[in-house]
Amino acid sequence: EDAGVDVDTGAPLRDSTGTFLEIGGANGLQDSNTWIMEVCLGWKGVLAEAHPRSFKRMITNRRSARCFIHARNRWEGSVLI
C-alpha cells in the first residue's frame, strides 16, 4: 500500500490501469487491503463477502467497486451465517 504514495510529497499516485480482487471484503473499509487502490490509485475491482450484514455495509462504503455476496467451500450445500 505504501507504494501508492509519492515519497517526496506524500501525495497519492494515480494509476487507473490497475485491478483488484478482495475475498472477505468485510465492510469494505476496516482492514481492507484494496481501499487505497480504489480511492487513491483509481483502480477498479471486485469485493466478495459472505456475511449479509457486512455485505450491506460494504456496498454502501465501496460504491465504485463491484460487490458480491458469496462464499465458497469444498462442501456441497448451504451454511447458516
Side-chain angles (χ1 to χ4, degrees):
E1 293 177 2
D2 293 341
V5 177
D6 184 298
V7 294
D8 294 323
T9 65
L13 300 174
R14 294 197 60 83
D15 175 12
S16 60
T17 61
T19 57
F20 61 82
L21 170 64
E22 184 165 4
I23 306 297
N27 68 10
L29 297 177
Q30 185 176 1
D31 299 324
S32 175
N33 293 309
T34 59
W35 179 85
I36 198 164
M37 296 171 187
E38 180 180 343
V39 174
C40 295
L41 301 178
W43 290 18
K44 304 279 187 232
V46 174
L47 295 110
E49 174 57 48
H51 194 281
R53 195 170 342 150
S54 293
F55 176 75
K56 285 182 183 179
R57 292 180 185 134
M58 184 175 69
I59 60 175
T60 299
N61 293 332
R62 300 288 292 273
R63 295 185 186 272
S64 297
R66 299 279 315 260
C67 299
F68 294 91
I69 186 165
H70 188 75
R72 180 80 177 141
N73 64 39
R74 61 185 177 143
W75 301 280
E76 291 186 34
S78 299
V79 176
L80 181 62
I81 299 178

